[in-house]
Amino acid sequence: MAGAVAPGAGGPADVTRVGLAAVARSTVGLTDLGALADPTRRAACLDAAGHPGGEVLGGRRVRLDGVDGVLLVLPTGQLGRLRVLVVAPSCQVLSDTVVG
């Protein structure tokens, strides 16, 4: 898969911004949410990132351009389009883009 290296021993996958779309599509249905596994914390993080009440289609721990984070795939309401949100454990937004 371009832009990603499979995680070793359950660690985060290495991802580049170029590879976000491919990694996002393979993340749908995954629940490796790391620091955001707690629903209350995840909801607060989504709210802080500007996506209140956001439904999560999947998530996985990643290392985006060398920075640890959690990649969350969110619906956009448009067929074939997904929002890809990558946040640091502190909920700082590392990337927020729509693919598809």
mmCIF file with all atom_site columns, all heavy atoms in Angstrom, residues 3-6 8 10 12-13 16 19 23 27-28 35 42 46 49 54 59-60 67 78 80 82 84 89 93:
data_model
loop_
_atom_site.group_PDB
_atom_site.id
_atom_site.type_symbol
_atom_site.label_atom_id
_atom_site.label_alt_id
_atom_site.label_comp_id
_atom_site.label_asym_id
_atom_site.label_entity_id
_atom_site.label_seq_id
_atom_site.pdbx_PDB_ins_code
_atom_site.Cartn_x
_atom_site.Cartn_y
_atom_site.Cartn_z
_atom_site.occupancy
_atom_site.B_iso_or_equiv
_atom_site.pdbx_formal_charge
_atom_site.auth_seq_id
_atom_site.auth_comp_id
_atom_site.auth_asym_id
_atom_site.auth_atom_id
_atom_site.pdbx_PDB_model_num
ATOM 1   N N   . GLY A 1 3  ? 2.363   4.781  0.680  1.00 0.00 ? 3  GLY A N   1
ATOM 2   C CA  . GLY A 1 3  ? 2.209   5.763  1.726  1.00 0.00 ? 3  GLY A CA  1
ATOM 3   C C   . GLY A 1 3  ? 2.088   5.198  3.114  1.00 0.00 ? 3  GLY A C   1
ATOM 4   O O   . GLY A 1 3  ? 1.963   5.945  4.069  1.00 0.00 ? 3  GLY A O   1
ATOM 5   N N   . ALA A 1 4  ? 2.127   3.871  3.256  1.00 0.00 ? 4  ALA A N   1
ATOM 6   C CA  . ALA A 1 4  ? 1.990   3.293  4.589  1.00 0.00 ? 4  ALA A CA  1
ATOM 7   C C   . ALA A 1 4  ? 2.877   2.069  4.710  1.00 0.00 ? 4  ALA A C   1
ATOM 8   O O   . ALA A 1 4  ? 3.112   1.355  3.754  1.00 0.00 ? 4  ALA A O   1
ATOM 9   C CB  . ALA A 1 4  ? 0.551   2.897  4.859  1.00 0.00 ? 4  ALA A CB  1
ATOM 10  N N   . VAL A 1 5  ? 3.355   1.869  5.906  1.00 0.00 ? 5  VAL A N   1
ATOM 11  C CA  . VAL A 1 5  ? 4.115   0.674  6.240  1.00 0.00 ? 5  VAL A CA  1
ATOM 12  C C   . VAL A 1 5  ? 3.351   -0.036 7.333  1.00 0.00 ? 5  VAL A C   1
ATOM 13  O O   . VAL A 1 5  ? 2.917   0.590  8.304  1.00 0.00 ? 5  VAL A O   1
ATOM 14  C CB  . VAL A 1 5  ? 5.543   1.036  6.717  1.00 0.00 ? 5  VAL A CB  1
ATOM 15  C CG1 . VAL A 1 5  ? 6.285   -0.183 7.154  1.00 0.00 ? 5  VAL A CG1 1
ATOM 16  C CG2 . VAL A 1 5  ? 6.294   1.780  5.630  1.00 0.00 ? 5  VAL A CG2 1
ATOM 17  N N   . ALA A 1 6  ? 3.145   -1.324 7.192  1.00 0.00 ? 6  ALA A N   1
ATOM 18  C CA  . ALA A 1 6  ? 2.386   -2.083 8.188  1.00 0.00 ? 6  ALA A CA  1
ATOM 19  C C   . ALA A 1 6  ? 3.015   -1.920 9.563  1.00 0.00 ? 6  ALA A C   1
ATOM 20  O O   . ALA A 1 6  ? 4.231   -1.891 9.700  1.00 0.00 ? 6  ALA A O   1
ATOM 21  C CB  . ALA A 1 6  ? 2.346   -3.554 7.797  1.00 0.00 ? 6  ALA A CB  1
ATOM 22  N N   . GLY A 1 8  ? 4.443   -2.726 13.194 1.00 0.00 ? 8  GLY A N   1
ATOM 23  C CA  . GLY A 1 8  ? 5.151   -3.874 13.750 1.00 0.00 ? 8  GLY A CA  1
ATOM 24  C C   . GLY A 1 8  ? 4.679   -4.155 15.159 1.00 0.00 ? 8  GLY A C   1
ATOM 25  O O   . GLY A 1 8  ? 4.630   -3.259 15.982 1.00 0.00 ? 8  GLY A O   1
ATOM 26  N N   . GLY A 1 10 ? 1.848   -4.589 16.593 1.00 0.00 ? 10 GLY A N   1
ATOM 27  C CA  . GLY A 1 10 ? 0.724   -3.828 17.125 1.00 0.00 ? 10 GLY A CA  1
ATOM 28  C C   . GLY A 1 10 ? 0.984   -2.342 17.256 1.00 0.00 ? 10 GLY A C   1
ATOM 29  O O   . GLY A 1 10 ? 0.178   -1.627 17.815 1.00 0.00 ? 10 GLY A O   1
ATOM 30  N N   . PRO A 1 12 ? 1.846   1.657  15.744 1.00 0.00 ? 12 PRO A N   1
ATOM 31  C CA  . PRO A 1 12 ? 1.176   2.486  14.746 1.00 0.00 ? 12 PRO A CA  1
ATOM 32  C C   . PRO A 1 12 ? 1.768   2.291  13.353 1.00 0.00 ? 12 PRO A C   1
ATOM 33  O O   . PRO A 1 12 ? 2.951   2.018  13.195 1.00 0.00 ? 12 PRO A O   1
ATOM 34  C CB  . PRO A 1 12 ? 1.416   3.908  15.250 1.00 0.00 ? 12 PRO A CB  1
ATOM 35  C CG  . PRO A 1 12 ? 2.623   3.822  16.114 1.00 0.00 ? 12 PRO A CG  1
ATOM 36  C CD  . PRO A 1 12 ? 2.622   2.443  16.698 1.00 0.00 ? 12 PRO A CD  1
ATOM 37  N N   . ALA A 1 13 ? 0.922   2.439  12.335 1.00 0.00 ? 13 ALA A N   1
ATOM 38  C CA  . ALA A 1 13 ? 1.368   2.368  10.947 1.00 0.00 ? 13 ALA A CA  1
ATOM 39  C C   . ALA A 1 13 ? 2.017   3.693  10.570 1.00 0.00 ? 13 ALA A C   1
ATOM 40  O O   . ALA A 1 13 ? 1.527   4.760  10.946 1.00 0.00 ? 13 ALA A O   1
ATOM 41  C CB  . ALA A 1 13 ? 0.175   2.091  10.033 1.00 0.00 ? 13 ALA A CB  1
ATOM 42  N N   . THR A 1 16 ? 2.222   8.694  5.258  1.00 0.00 ? 16 THR A N   1
ATOM 43  C CA  . THR A 1 16 ? 2.567   10.013 4.730  1.00 0.00 ? 16 THR A CA  1
ATOM 44  C C   . THR A 1 16 ? 1.270   10.689 4.299  1.00 0.00 ? 16 THR A C   1
ATOM 45  O O   . THR A 1 16 ? 0.254   10.033 4.097  1.00 0.00 ? 16 THR A O   1
ATOM 46  C CB  . THR A 1 16 ? 3.505   9.904  3.511  1.00 0.00 ? 16 THR A CB  1
ATOM 47  O OG1 . THR A 1 16 ? 2.807   9.230  2.459  1.00 0.00 ? 16 THR A OG1 1
ATOM 48  C CG2 . THR A 1 16 ? 4.783   9.159  3.865  1.00 0.00 ? 16 THR A CG2 1
ATOM 49  N N   . GLY A 1 19 ? -0.248  9.216  1.251  1.00 0.00 ? 19 GLY A N   1
ATOM 50  C CA  . GLY A 1 19 ? -0.905  7.927  1.381  1.00 0.00 ? 19 GLY A CA  1
ATOM 51  C C   . GLY A 1 19 ? -2.159  7.915  2.228  1.00 0.00 ? 19 GLY A C   1
ATOM 52  O O   . GLY A 1 19 ? -2.737  6.850  2.452  1.00 0.00 ? 19 GLY A O   1
ATOM 53  N N   . VAL A 1 23 ? -4.817  4.633  3.044  1.00 0.00 ? 23 VAL A N   1
ATOM 54  C CA  . VAL A 1 23 ? -4.859  4.131  4.422  1.00 0.00 ? 23 VAL A CA  1
ATOM 55  C C   . VAL A 1 23 ? -6.256  4.317  5.007  1.00 0.00 ? 23 VAL A C   1
ATOM 56  O O   . VAL A 1 23 ? -6.768  3.448  5.697  1.00 0.00 ? 23 VAL A O   1
ATOM 57  C CB  . VAL A 1 23 ? -3.789  4.817  5.290  1.00 0.00 ? 23 VAL A CB  1
ATOM 58  C CG1 . VAL A 1 23 ? -3.925  4.412  6.748  1.00 0.00 ? 23 VAL A CG1 1
ATOM 59  C CG2 . VAL A 1 23 ? -2.390  4.466  4.784  1.00 0.00 ? 23 VAL A CG2 1
ATOM 60  N N   . THR A 1 27 ? -8.960  1.549  6.617  1.00 0.00 ? 27 THR A N   1
ATOM 61  C CA  . THR A 1 27 ? -9.225  1.730  8.048  1.00 0.00 ? 27 THR A CA  1
ATOM 62  C C   . THR A 1 27 ? -10.703 1.595  8.387  1.00 0.00 ? 27 THR A C   1
ATOM 63  O O   . THR A 1 27 ? -11.057 1.339  9.537  1.00 0.00 ? 27 THR A O   1
ATOM 64  C CB  . THR A 1 27 ? -8.675  3.109  8.502  1.00 0.00 ? 27 THR A CB  1
ATOM 65  O OG1 . THR A 1 27 ? -7.264  3.121  8.293  1.00 0.00 ? 27 THR A OG1 1
ATOM 66  C CG2 . THR A 1 27 ? -8.958  3.387  9.959  1.00 0.00 ? 27 THR A CG2 1
ATOM 67  N N   . VAL A 1 28 ? -11.580 1.742  7.400  1.00 0.00 ? 28 VAL A N   1
ATOM 68  C CA  . VAL A 1 28 ? -13.019 1.622  7.657  1.00 0.00 ? 28 VAL A CA  1
ATOM 69  C C   . VAL A 1 28 ? -13.289 0.262  8.298  1.00 0.00 ? 28 VAL A C   1
ATOM 70  O O   . VAL A 1 28 ? -12.867 -0.771 7.800  1.00 0.00 ? 28 VAL A O   1
ATOM 71  C CB  . VAL A 1 28 ? -13.837 1.797  6.361  1.00 0.00 ? 28 VAL A CB  1
ATOM 72  C CG1 . VAL A 1 28 ? -15.306 1.486  6.604  1.00 0.00 ? 28 VAL A CG1 1
ATOM 73  C CG2 . VAL A 1 28 ? -13.665 3.202  5.808  1.00 0.00 ? 28 VAL A CG2 1
ATOM 74  N N   . ALA A 1 35 ? -5.485  6.107  22.230 1.00 0.00 ? 35 ALA A N   1
ATOM 75  C CA  . ALA A 1 35 ? -5.892  7.052  23.278 1.00 0.00 ? 35 ALA A CA  1
ATOM 76  C C   . ALA A 1 35 ? -7.345  7.501  23.140 1.00 0.00 ? 35 ALA A C   1
ATOM 77  O O   . ALA A 1 35 ? -7.914  8.050  24.076 1.00 0.00 ? 35 ALA A O   1
ATOM 78  C CB  . ALA A 1 35 ? -4.969  8.268  23.260 1.00 0.00 ? 35 ALA A CB  1
ATOM 79  N N   . ARG A 1 42 ? -13.145 10.468 22.997 1.00 0.00 ? 42 ARG A N   1
ATOM 80  C CA  . ARG A 1 42 ? -13.229 10.582 21.539 1.00 0.00 ? 42 ARG A CA  1
ATOM 81  C C   . ARG A 1 42 ? -14.223 11.674 21.144 1.00 0.00 ? 42 ARG A C   1
ATOM 82  O O   . ARG A 1 42 ? -13.951 12.494 20.264 1.00 0.00 ? 42 ARG A O   1
ATOM 83  C CB  . ARG A 1 42 ? -13.615 9.241  20.923 1.00 0.00 ? 42 ARG A CB  1
ATOM 84  C CG  . ARG A 1 42 ? -13.618 9.252  19.416 1.00 0.00 ? 42 ARG A CG  1
ATOM 85  C CD  . ARG A 1 42 ? -13.793 7.874  18.811 1.00 0.00 ? 42 ARG A CD  1
ATOM 86  N NE  . ARG A 1 42 ? -14.973 7.158  19.270 1.00 0.00 ? 42 ARG A NE  1
ATOM 87  C CZ  . ARG A 1 42 ? -14.971 6.118  20.099 1.00 0.00 ? 42 ARG A CZ  1
ATOM 88  N NH1 . ARG A 1 42 ? -13.842 5.627  20.574 1.00 0.00 ? 42 ARG A NH1 1
ATOM 89  N NH2 . ARG A 1 42 ? -16.104 5.539  20.465 1.00 0.00 ? 42 ARG A NH2 1
ATOM 90  N N   . LEU A 1 46 ? -13.355 14.974 19.002 1.00 0.00 ? 46 LEU A N   1
ATOM 91  C CA  . LEU A 1 46 ? -14.039 15.317 17.761 1.00 0.00 ? 46 LEU A CA  1
ATOM 92  C C   . LEU A 1 46 ? -14.666 16.703 17.849 1.00 0.00 ? 46 LEU A C   1
ATOM 93  O O   . LEU A 1 46 ? -14.612 17.479 16.893 1.00 0.00 ? 46 LEU A O   1
ATOM 94  C CB  . LEU A 1 46 ? -15.104 14.269 17.431 1.00 0.00 ? 46 LEU A CB  1
ATOM 95  C CG  . LEU A 1 46 ? -14.573 12.935 16.914 1.00 0.00 ? 46 LEU A CG  1
ATOM 96  C CD1 . LEU A 1 46 ? -15.689 11.889 16.896 1.00 0.00 ? 46 LEU A CD1 1
ATOM 97  C CD2 . LEU A 1 46 ? -13.972 13.103 15.535 1.00 0.00 ? 46 LEU A CD2 1
ATOM 98  N N   . ALA A 1 49 ? -12.024 19.260 17.496 1.00 0.00 ? 49 ALA A N   1
ATOM 99  C CA  . ALA A 1 49 ? -11.518 19.293 16.121 1.00 0.00 ? 49 ALA A CA  1
ATOM 100 C C   . ALA A 1 49 ? -12.538 19.878 15.139 1.00 0.00 ? 49 ALA A C   1
ATOM 101 O O   . ALA A 1 49 ? -12.283 19.956 13.942 1.00 0.00 ? 49 ALA A O   1
ATOM 102 C CB  . ALA A 1 49 ? -11.125 17.890 15.683 1.00 0.00 ? 49 ALA A CB  1
ATOM 103 N N   . GLY A 1 54 ? -19.528 13.519 15.742 1.00 0.00 ? 54 GLY A N   1
ATOM 104 C CA  . GLY A 1 54 ? -19.089 12.790 14.561 1.00 0.00 ? 54 GLY A CA  1
ATOM 105 C C   . GLY A 1 54 ? -19.145 11.281 14.719 1.00 0.00 ? 54 GLY A C   1
ATOM 106 O O   . GLY A 1 54 ? -18.645 10.732 15.692 1.00 0.00 ? 54 GLY A O   1
ATOM 107 N N   . GLY A 1 59 ? -10.988 3.582  12.753 1.00 0.00 ? 59 GLY A N   1
ATOM 108 C CA  . GLY A 1 59 ? -9.847  4.321  13.275 1.00 0.00 ? 59 GLY A CA  1
ATOM 109 C C   . GLY A 1 59 ? -8.670  3.398  13.519 1.00 0.00 ? 59 GLY A C   1
ATOM 110 O O   . GLY A 1 59 ? -8.837  2.190  13.720 1.00 0.00 ? 59 GLY A O   1
ATOM 111 N N   . ARG A 1 60 ? -7.475  3.984  13.463 1.00 0.00 ? 60 ARG A N   1
ATOM 112 C CA  . ARG A 1 60 ? -6.270  3.216  13.745 1.00 0.00 ? 60 ARG A CA  1
ATOM 113 C C   . ARG A 1 60 ? -5.167  4.168  14.182 1.00 0.00 ? 60 ARG A C   1
ATOM 114 O O   . ARG A 1 60 ? -5.144  5.333  13.805 1.00 0.00 ? 60 ARG A O   1
ATOM 115 C CB  . ARG A 1 60 ? -5.830  2.417  12.525 1.00 0.00 ? 60 ARG A CB  1
ATOM 116 C CG  . ARG A 1 60 ? -5.257  3.289  11.422 1.00 0.00 ? 60 ARG A CG  1
ATOM 117 C CD  . ARG A 1 60 ? -4.960  2.589  10.130 1.00 0.00 ? 60 ARG A CD  1
ATOM 118 N NE  . ARG A 1 60 ? -4.113  1.445  10.285 1.00 0.00 ? 60 ARG A NE  1
ATOM 119 C CZ  . ARG A 1 60 ? -3.842  0.603  9.307  1.00 0.00 ? 60 ARG A CZ  1
ATOM 120 N NH1 . ARG A 1 60 ? -4.353  0.790  8.109  1.00 0.00 ? 60 ARG A NH1 1
ATOM 121 N NH2 . ARG A 1 60 ? -3.050  -0.413 9.496  1.00 0.00 ? 60 ARG A NH2 1
ATOM 122 N N   . VAL A 1 67 ? 4.945   11.816 13.406 1.00 0.00 ? 67 VAL A N   1
ATOM 123 C CA  . VAL A 1 67 ? 4.237   12.257 14.617 1.00 0.00 ? 67 VAL A CA  1
ATOM 124 C C   . VAL A 1 67 ? 3.137   11.246 14.934 1.00 0.00 ? 67 VAL A C   1
ATOM 125 O O   . VAL A 1 67 ? 2.302   10.938 14.080 1.00 0.00 ? 67 VAL A O   1
ATOM 126 C CB  . VAL A 1 67 ? 3.617   13.661 14.410 1.00 0.00 ? 67 VAL A CB  1
ATOM 127 C CG1 . VAL A 1 67 ? 2.866   14.105 15.659 1.00 0.00 ? 67 VAL A CG1 1
ATOM 128 C CG2 . VAL A 1 67 ? 4.691   14.666 14.036 1.00 0.00 ? 67 VAL A CG2 1
ATOM 129 N N   . GLN A 1 78 ? -21.760 12.452 1.643  1.00 0.00 ? 78 GLN A N   1
ATOM 130 C CA  . GLN A 1 78 ? -21.697 12.392 0.187  1.00 0.00 ? 78 GLN A CA  1
ATOM 131 C C   . GLN A 1 78 ? -21.183 11.012 -0.212 1.00 0.00 ? 78 GLN A C   1
ATOM 132 O O   . GLN A 1 78 ? -20.143 10.569 0.289  1.00 0.00 ? 78 GLN A O   1
ATOM 133 C CB  . GLN A 1 78 ? -20.781 13.471 -0.367 1.00 0.00 ? 78 GLN A CB  1
ATOM 134 C CG  . GLN A 1 78 ? -21.252 14.872 -0.047 1.00 0.00 ? 78 GLN A CG  1
ATOM 135 C CD  . GLN A 1 78 ? -20.241 15.920 -0.483 1.00 0.00 ? 78 GLN A CD  1
ATOM 136 O OE1 . GLN A 1 78 ? -19.050 15.692 -0.443 1.00 0.00 ? 78 GLN A OE1 1
ATOM 137 N NE2 . GLN A 1 78 ? -20.746 17.060 -0.905 1.00 0.00 ? 78 GLN A NE2 1
ATOM 138 N N   . GLY A 1 80 ? -19.307 8.059  -1.566 1.00 0.00 ? 80 GLY A N   1
ATOM 139 C CA  . GLY A 1 80 ? -17.939 7.862  -2.040 1.00 0.00 ? 80 GLY A CA  1
ATOM 140 C C   . GLY A 1 80 ? -16.909 8.803  -1.456 1.00 0.00 ? 80 GLY A C   1
ATOM 141 O O   . GLY A 1 80 ? -15.737 8.728  -1.804 1.00 0.00 ? 80 GLY A O   1
ATOM 142 N N   . LEU A 1 82 ? -15.054 10.478 2.022  1.00 0.00 ? 82 LEU A N   1
ATOM 143 C CA  . LEU A 1 82 ? -14.780 10.276 3.440  1.00 0.00 ? 82 LEU A CA  1
ATOM 144 C C   . LEU A 1 82 ? -13.947 11.420 3.977  1.00 0.00 ? 82 LEU A C   1
ATOM 145 O O   . LEU A 1 82 ? -13.079 11.949 3.281  1.00 0.00 ? 82 LEU A O   1
ATOM 146 C CB  . LEU A 1 82 ? -13.992 8.968  3.646  1.00 0.00 ? 82 LEU A CB  1
ATOM 147 C CG  . LEU A 1 82 ? -14.643 7.680  3.168  1.00 0.00 ? 82 LEU A CG  1
ATOM 148 C CD1 . LEU A 1 82 ? -13.644 6.536  3.214  1.00 0.00 ? 82 LEU A CD1 1
ATOM 149 C CD2 . LEU A 1 82 ? -15.858 7.366  4.018  1.00 0.00 ? 82 LEU A CD2 1
ATOM 150 N N   . VAL A 1 84 ? -11.025 12.332 6.453  1.00 0.00 ? 84 VAL A N   1
ATOM 151 C CA  . VAL A 1 84 ? -9.907  11.680 7.122  1.00 0.00 ? 84 VAL A CA  1
ATOM 152 C C   . VAL A 1 84 ? -9.319  12.684 8.110  1.00 0.00 ? 84 VAL A C   1
ATOM 153 O O   . VAL A 1 84 ? -8.763  13.709 7.705  1.00 0.00 ? 84 VAL A O   1
ATOM 154 C CB  . VAL A 1 84 ? -8.835  11.225 6.109  1.00 0.00 ? 84 VAL A CB  1
ATOM 155 C CG1 . VAL A 1 84 ? -7.721  10.489 6.830  1.00 0.00 ? 84 VAL A CG1 1
ATOM 156 C CG2 . VAL A 1 84 ? -9.453  10.344 5.041  1.00 0.00 ? 84 VAL A CG2 1
ATOM 157 N N   . PRO A 1 89 ? -2.455  12.491 20.284 1.00 0.00 ? 89 PRO A N   1
ATOM 158 C CA  . PRO A 1 89 ? -3.103  12.045 21.522 1.00 0.00 ? 89 PRO A CA  1
ATOM 159 C C   . PRO A 1 89 ? -3.692  13.204 22.339 1.00 0.00 ? 89 PRO A C   1
ATOM 160 O O   . PRO A 1 89 ? -4.652  13.023 23.075 1.00 0.00 ? 89 PRO A O   1
ATOM 161 C CB  . PRO A 1 89 ? -1.970  11.347 22.276 1.00 0.00 ? 89 PRO A CB  1
ATOM 162 C CG  . PRO A 1 89 ? -1.074  10.846 21.195 1.00 0.00 ? 89 PRO A CG  1
ATOM 163 C CD  . PRO A 1 89 ? -1.115  11.923 20.128 1.00 0.00 ? 89 PRO A CD  1
ATOM 164 N N   . VAL A 1 93 ? -5.159  18.691 15.913 1.00 0.00 ? 93 VAL A N   1
ATOM 165 C CA  . VAL A 1 93 ? -5.400  18.197 14.559 1.00 0.00 ? 93 VAL A CA  1
ATOM 166 C C   . VAL A 1 93 ? -4.087  18.203 13.776 1.00 0.00 ? 93 VAL A C   1
ATOM 167 O O   . VAL A 1 93 ? -3.433  19.232 13.648 1.00 0.00 ? 93 VAL A O   1
ATOM 168 C CB  . VAL A 1 93 ? -6.460  19.057 13.833 1.00 0.00 ? 93 VAL A CB  1
ATOM 169 C CG1 . VAL A 1 93 ? -6.621  18.623 12.386 1.00 0.00 ? 93 VAL A CG1 1
ATOM 170 C CG2 . VAL A 1 93 ? -7.791  18.979 14.557 1.00 0.00 ? 93 VAL A CG2 1
#
